[in-house]
Amino acid sequence: MTQHDSPTLPAHRPGASRQAPAAPDAPSLSRTTRPWMPALLYTLGFLTVYLLAICTPWGQRAENALFGLGKGNPEAAWFYPLSGAAYGSTPLPPLELSAKPTLMVGLAVIVVLTLVRRCWWQGCAALGVLILTTGGKEVLKSSLPRPDLVGAPENLLDQGFPSGHTAIPAALTLAAVLVVSPRIRPYVATAGVLWLACIAAYSATNGGHRPSEVLGAALLACAWYGLATWLLPSAAAPGATRSPRALPVITLTLALAVALVSGARNDTLTRSLVSAATAFICAALVWYAAVGRPAHTARRTRPARG
């Protein structure tokens, strides 16, 4: 009898029973690898930029000094013919009167992508990022004070923190990566980052915004994106973003080149370089938020072998 019963013994090995419950643990691992720290860090960065650049005398002097460089003529900026301020020129979205149409078209695209792909959670998160960033900058412009600590001229006392022109491409880029397919997400982020670098550099160099206002807009958009991705259900949260290994280097190199050209002026090199550096930082922040961080959050802990 023992010879006939022996073939059934391997089915009751203790090792097999210990490995079976490993699958239900996967959802909990996915949930614990979505950190809330990025949203907090972006928010702290936003507050730090505001406090240091706007609420300290030396911060105000440093930024006000940029307006004194060169002749102060906006036409000295290389991108002035594309700004829409020149007579008969077509503005590069979202400059001048194209800001609201750009925002409306972006909202419509997000809604259409949500309906086509049926990604309801991601679509709601994308709309939240877009609305809270662009609407929040209006609230913050009217509520955050800009004290005059250095006796600045009256034309430098207008509150423009954060920059609305920079907030639109930053928010649209982060909203788009939430609703597009993961396969094209890195390329959508690349296009959005290059657009952001152009608008941020020009906004800082033409005299319409200070570098802190441009940087604050990018940080505000990243903060809302970080909060949205943290609050999403685990099944709807952005997963691993696979892209060509050289894409981050190519993207950031192109962003730097775009920022240098968009921030260039004929009358001052210092102001041009500061504007380009600010725009490049904005581009790097949005790229890391959109593509860099989800790739790290997709890591899983390997079960121990028994």
Side-chain angles (χ1 to χ4, degrees):
M1 292 296 292
T2 55
Q3 292 180 354
H4 295 285
D5 295 338
S6 58
T8 62
L9 293 177
H12 303 282
R13 287 181 301 174
S17 61
R18 285 197 300 265
Q19 293 177 356
D25 292 338
S28 61
L29 290 174
S30 176
R31 183 175 297 276
T32 57
T33 52
R34 290 196 293 118
W36 51 266
M37 186 61 70
L40 177 61
L41 291 178
Y42 289 129
T43 303
L44 291 177
F46 177 86
L47 295 175
T48 300
V49 169
Y50 169 74
L51 293 175
L52 293 181
I54 297 176
C55 298
T56 61
W58 55 268
Q60 289 189 2
R61 289 193 185 96
E63 289 201 306
N64 290 344
L66 292 174
F67 289 94
L69 298 176
K71 300 177 181 179
N73 185 3
E75 296 182 7
W78 289 10
F79 258 53
Y80 180 77
L82 299 177
S83 67
Y87 179 76
S89 65
T90 301
L92 180 69
L95 300 176
E96 295 294 333
L97 298 178
S98 65
K100 289 184 178 179
T102 302
L103 184 58
M104 293 298 102
V105 171
L107 280 169
V109 170
I110 296 300
V111 171
V112 170
L113 287 174
T114 301
L115 295 175
V116 170
R117 299 194 65 238
R118 298 183 179 181
C119 50
W120 313 121
W121 283 108
Q122 294 92 331
C124 291
L127 291 175
V129 170
L130 187 56
I131 294 172
L132 290 174
T133 301
T134 55
K137 60 94 180 174
E138 295 293 341
V139 175
L140 293 171
K141 275 187 177 182
S142 60
S143 59
L144 290 178
R146 179 183 288 278
D148 182 15
L149 305 177
V150 296
E154 187 176 354
N155 64 321
L156 297 181
L157 299 180
D158 293 336
Q159 170 63 294
F161 184 89
S163 166
H165 291 108
T166 306
I168 292 176
L172 281 174
T173 299
L174 293 172
V177 299
L178 282 170
V179 294
V180 298
S181 170
R183 290 178 296 178
I184 66 171
R185 184 182 299 151
Y187 306 101
V188 171
T190 295
V193 160
L194 297 181
W195 179 32
L196 170 63
C198 175
I199 300 302
Y202 179 75
S203 298
T205 200
N206 75 337
H209 287 287
R210 297 168 172 83
S212 63
E213 296 166 353
V214 171
L215 185 57
L219 286 168
L220 179 65
C222 290
W224 284 122
Y225 177 82
L227 180 62
T229 54
W230 180 59
L231 293 176
L232 278 173
S234 298
T241 302
R242 295 184 178 181
S243 61
R245 185 171 300 178
L247 185 61
V249 176
I250 295 174
T251 298
L252 295 180
T253 301
L254 291 176
L256 179 60
V258 169
L260 287 171
V261 174
S262 303
R265 295 179 62 92
N266 295 324
D267 52 359
T268 167
L269 179 61
T270 302
R271 186 167 172 179
S272 301
L273 293 178
V274 171
S275 301
T278 303
F280 176 75
I281 294 173
C282 293
L285 286 170
V286 172
W287 171 263
Y288 178 74
V291 179
R293 190 172 62 82
H296 292 292
T297 58
R299 294 176 179 175
R300 297 290 183 268
T301 303
R302 294 181 179 179
R305 296 181 179 180

